[in-house]
Amino acid sequence: MLTEQMLDSIKKVESTRNGRMTLEPQRMSADEKDELLKKFHPDYKEDGFSVLEIGPNKGEKVPYELSRLLHSNSKVLGVNLDLDNVRYDVDVLIIGGGGAGASAAIEASSAGAKTMIVTKLRMGDANSMMAEGGIQAADKDNDSPQQHFLDAFGGGHYKAKPELLKRLVMDGPGAVDWLSSLGVMFDKYPDGTMITTHGGGTSRKRMHACADYTGAEIMRVLRDEVINRSIPVVDFCAALELILDENGNAAGAVLMNMETGEYLIAKAKTVIIATGGAGRLHYQGFPTSNHYGATADGLVIAYRASANLLYPDTIQYHPTGVAYPDQLFGALVTEKVRSIGAMLVNIEGDAFVHPLETRDVACAAVIRECSAHKKGVKTPTGEGVWLDTPMIEEKHGAGMIEKRIPGMFRMYMNYDIDMRKVPILVYPTFHYQNGGIEINAAGTTDKIPNLFVAGEAVGGIHGRNRLMGNSLLDIIVFGRLAGKSAAKLAPNITTGKMTLAHIDEYAEKLKAAGIDTGTTSPLLLPEYTRKVNDIAD
C-alpha cells in the first residue's frame, strides 16, 4: 500500500509531467560531475575503506568488507590435503558458471581442450543471468568501435586500461554476431534489423536487448551450448584456493563440495577465474542487485596467490534499485527504463538530473537529493526518489512498457503497483564490482603464469565507472578470449609439483603484521544470520 505521503507526492509528479516531457534537465559539466561525486558518491566516503597491510596491493585502500577477507587466512590453512590425490585432471579448469565461464568453456572445448567448469552454486547462478537492459556493440552505420571507445573511456573517468577497452569495443560486433549465431533472440524490427537504444553516457544507440531479459536470454543459450557440447560441469563445488606448481604457475584448485564439505583436488594446465562480483558483501550497508553467491571469491584466492588487484576501491552503485516495496528492496530497475523515457524526480515532482547521465553521477545525484536536499520520499524502511515510468507511454503510446520491459512490469504488478499509471520509488543499489584482478591484453595475470581471468572478476576494463551494456559485452569478449588462449597454451605446458606453500607464506605475513580477523576466507556465502547474543540484545 502506498502511504499518504507517497500519494500526495505522486500528485505533484503528475502535475509537472507535461513540462518535463518537453524540457529535461541539462547534462552537467565535467567540473559539476566531479564535485557531485566527491561529495555524495560512496566511493569517496573515507570511513567505508581500509588500507591493506600485506600482499601485492599493500598500502592501497579497499572497501572495509573486502579488506577483512583479504586480511584473513585460507580455509584450508593447516588442513592435511593430499595434492597427489587428484579427482579432476583437465587442460582448462574454469571456476565460475556465469556468462564469462560458459563462453570460455565453449571456446576452449571447441579448440579441442579437455575443459571443465566448477561452480559454487548451479550453472547459470550468476549476475549474468540477472542482467536486464542490454549489451553494447558498435555495429550500426552511424557508429564505430572508436566512438564506443571514447564513450566508455570518458565514462570510466579515463582510467580504463586502453588495451583492454580496445579489445572490448573492437570485438563487440563479433560478440553480438556470435551470440546471434548460437540462437540469442535479440529484439529486431520486422525487416530483421537489430533494435538499438541509448544507455547512460552513450553518444549512439548501440544497446542490443532481448526485452528486459537480456542476461537471462544470453545465459539460456550459453548454458544450452555447454550442455549440448557435453562439457563437464560440477555444480555446488566451490574453489577454496588456487594450487600453484613449484615454479609458481597456476596448476589447479582446491575445491569443496558445498553439500558434503568434502575437499577435492583439481589439477589443470591452465585455470580461468570467472567468479563474478562482490555485491553480497554489502559494502557500506547498501542493498544489492547481485545473485546470492557474489562474495568476491576470485579476488581473494587470486590475491593470496600474489595477483594484483586494480581499482578495488571503486564500485558501481546502480542509481535505480528498488526502494519500495520492501519485498523487492535492492532489486535492479534496469537503466533501460530511463533510456526509453522515464525520468528521475524528487518528492516535489522536480527532475534533478539528466535521465541518461552516467551511473555514478546519477547515483550521487539521487543520494544528494535524499540527504542534502531533503527531497526524498520516505518509505517504511528508508527513502527514495521517483522514477516517472508513466512518461514512457506518454511518449511512445500505450503498450510500450509491456513490450519493452515486460519483466519489470510483471515484477511490480505482483505487488499491485502498475508502473504504467504510477511512478516507482528507487534508490542506489550495489550493482557491479568495477575493480578486480588485473590482467593484460592476453587475458592473463602477469604474476601468475597460466592463470586467466574473465568477467566481473577483472579490474581495469571499464576504468572507475562502467557504462550500461558493457558488462554483458565483457563477459563474452574476455570469456571467449580466455577460453581460446587457455586452450592454445595448454598443450605446451608441463605442470610441476603442486603446492599450497603460498597460503602458509600468506599466513606468516598476516602474523608478522599482527593481523587476526578471527575468520577465514573466501566467504563463499553471505552472512545473514544473527548471533545468539545479538538476538538476546
Side-chain angles (χ1 to χ4, degrees):
M1 294 289 292
L2 297 174
T3 66
E4 186 174 341
Q5 185 203 45
M6 293 176 190
L7 292 171
D8 288 342
S9 180
I10 287 174
K11 292 178 182 177
K12 295 177 181 178
V13 173
E14 291 170 343
S15 70
T16 62
R17 187 172 293 145
N18 285 340
R20 289 185 281 103
M21 293 286 289
T22 56
L23 185 63
E24 63 185 20
Q26 295 294 310
R27 289 189 181 272
M28 297 180 191
S29 68
D31 289 342
E32 289 172 329
K33 291 179 182 180
D34 287 343
E35 182 179 1
L36 176 67
L37 291 170
K38 288 176 182 177
K39 285 185 177 180
F40 297 103
H41 195 279
D43 281 357
Y44 294 83
K45 189 176 180 181
E46 290 300 324
D47 61 2
F49 297 87
S50 179
V51 175
L52 291 174
E53 298 184 42
I54 67 167
N57 291 78
K58 179 180 178 180
E60 296 182 25
K61 70 174 188 177
V62 299
Y64 168 77
E65 296 82 355
L66 178 60
S67 74
R68 182 169 173 263
L69 298 180
L70 296 178
H71 280 155
S72 295
N73 274 310
S74 170
K75 288 184 179 298
V76 297
L77 179 68
V79 176
N80 185 21
L81 294 171
D82 181 4
L83 298 185
D84 292 326
N85 184 18
V86 176
R87 175 70 65 91
Y88 306 109
D89 191 347
V90 296
D91 296 328
V92 181
L93 174 66
I94 300 166
I95 305 172
S103 298
I106 292 166
E107 293 291 11
S109 177
S110 296
K114 185 179 180 182
T115 304
M116 183 176 79
I117 295 174
V118 295
T119 182
K120 179 169 62 177
L121 299 176
R122 300 166 302 178
M123 179 71 178
D125 285 338
N127 286 345
S128 306
M129 183 74 178
M130 304 170 75
E132 297 168 351
I135 177 171
Q136 285 204 49
D139 58 1
K140 291 294 181 72
D141 290 341
N142 69 333
D143 201 0
S144 68
Q146 291 78 5
Q147 190 63 46
H148 188 178
F149 183 99
L150 292 173
D151 288 347
F153 198 49
H157 301 284
Y158 307 100
K159 297 297 184 181
K161 290 186 72 170
E163 62 270 30
L164 300 185
L165 184 54
K166 178 182 177 182
R167 179 171 288 277
L168 180 78
V169 301
M170 293 299 291
D171 290 359
V176 170
D177 285 346
W178 183 68
L179 290 172
S180 293
S181 72
L182 293 179
V184 173
M185 299 174 67
F186 288 108
D187 296 340
K188 297 177 181 178
Y189 293 109
D191 66 358
T193 304
M194 292 257 195
I195 296 173
T196 52
T197 59
H198 273 299
T202 62
S203 61
R204 300 289 188 274
K205 292 182 178 181
R206 67 173 72 95
M207 203 70 56
H208 303 67
C210 312
D212 58 349
Y213 301 117
T214 311
E217 169 63 7
I218 289 174
M219 204 62 237
R220 174 190 71 82
V221 169
L222 294 179
R223 184 168 48 199
D224 283 355
E225 194 70 17
V226 168
I227 294 170
N228 291 339
R229 290 171 180 265
S230 299
I231 298 171
V233 178
V234 184
D235 288 328
F236 299 110
C237 191
L240 300 184
E241 209 64 57
L242 288 175
I243 297 173
L244 306 180
D245 71 9
E246 58 193 347
N247 301 310
N249 303 313
V254 178
L255 310 176
M256 185 183 76
N257 184 311
M258 295 287 286
E259 297 176 304
T260 67
E262 179 187 8
Y263 295 118
L264 307 167
I265 303 302
K267 181 179 180 181
K269 294 179 178 179
T270 59
V271 178
I272 300 174
I273 289 178
T275 50
R280 290 290 165 173
L281 298 183
H282 294 286
Y283 296 159
Q284 299 185 38
F286 272 81
T288 185
S289 63
N290 284 192
H291 80 103
Y292 193 70
T295 50
D297 299 351
L299 274 61
V300 172
I301 64 175
Y303 190 77
R304 193 146 44 221
S306 79
N308 284 329
L309 303 182
L310 185 61
Y311 307 142
D313 60 327
T314 178
I315 306 301
Q316 181 162 97
Y317 298 88
H318 198 291
T320 57
V322 177
Y324 182 85
D326 292 347
Q327 296 94 326
L328 299 175
F329 187 58
L332 179 65
V333 176
T334 172
E335 191 168 310
K336 188 174 182 179
V337 178
R338 283 177 286 141
S339 74
I340 60 176
M343 187 177 288
L344 290 163
V345 296
N346 62 28
I347 192 171
E348 300 298 332
D350 299 325
F352 56 88
V353 66
H354 190 281
L356 289 179
E357 284 287 7
T358 54
R359 287 178 171 176
D360 55 350
V361 172
C363 167
V366 172
I367 293 173
R368 177 193 63 187
E369 210 64 17
C370 292
S371 56
H373 289 181
K374 309 296 182 184
K375 290 187 177 182
V377 180
K378 299 297 182 184
T379 72
T381 54
E383 61 185 327
V385 297
W386 294 112
L387 186 55
D388 193 7
T389 49
M391 290 184 70
I392 295 172
E393 300 205 340
E394 290 281 346
K395 289 182 177 181
H396 302 289
M400 185 66 168
I401 286 177
E402 288 185 80
K403 180 180 179 181
R404 299 295 296 278
I405 47 173
M408 195 64 49
F409 172 71
R410 283 194 285 272
M411 181 176 78
Y412 274 97
M413 285 300 289
N414 285 335
Y415 298 93
D416 297 323
I417 296 174
D418 189 342
M419 63 192 302
R420 299 169 300 182
K421 299 176 181 178
V422 296
I424 57 177
L425 280 170
V426 296
Y427 192 80
T429 186
F430 184 158
H431 183 57
Y432 188 82
Q433 173 184 274
N434 284 323
I437 304 163
E438 185 171 8
I439 62 171
N440 54 38
T444 61
T445 59
D446 289 330
K447 288 191 175 180
I448 308 174
N450 308 336
L451 178 65
F452 297 79
V453 191
E456 196 172 343
V458 174
I461 299 172
H462 310 288
R464 301 189 74 88
N465 180 61
R466 177 180 62 77
L467 299 188
M468 171 191 179
N470 279 347
S471 59
L472 281 179
L473 182 59
D474 87 49
I475 64 173
I476 304 302
V477 168
F478 288 93
R480 295 181 73 196
L481 171 66
K484 292 175 181 178
S485 300
K488 184 177 180 179
L489 184 64
N492 303 316
I493 293 173
T494 300
T495 303
K497 182 176 177 57
M498 296 195 296
T499 175
L500 289 172
H502 65 283
I503 70 170
D504 295 305
E505 294 168 5
Y506 199 84
E508 287 300 316
K509 291 178 182 177
L510 286 172
K511 184 177 180 181
I515 300 171
D516 183 4
T517 63
T519 187
T520 58
S521 62
L523 181 62
L524 300 183
L525 296 174
E527 298 174 331
Y528 291 129
T529 56
R530 296 174 63 191
K531 296 179 181 179
V532 174
N533 290 340
D534 293 337
I535 297 172
D537 293 341

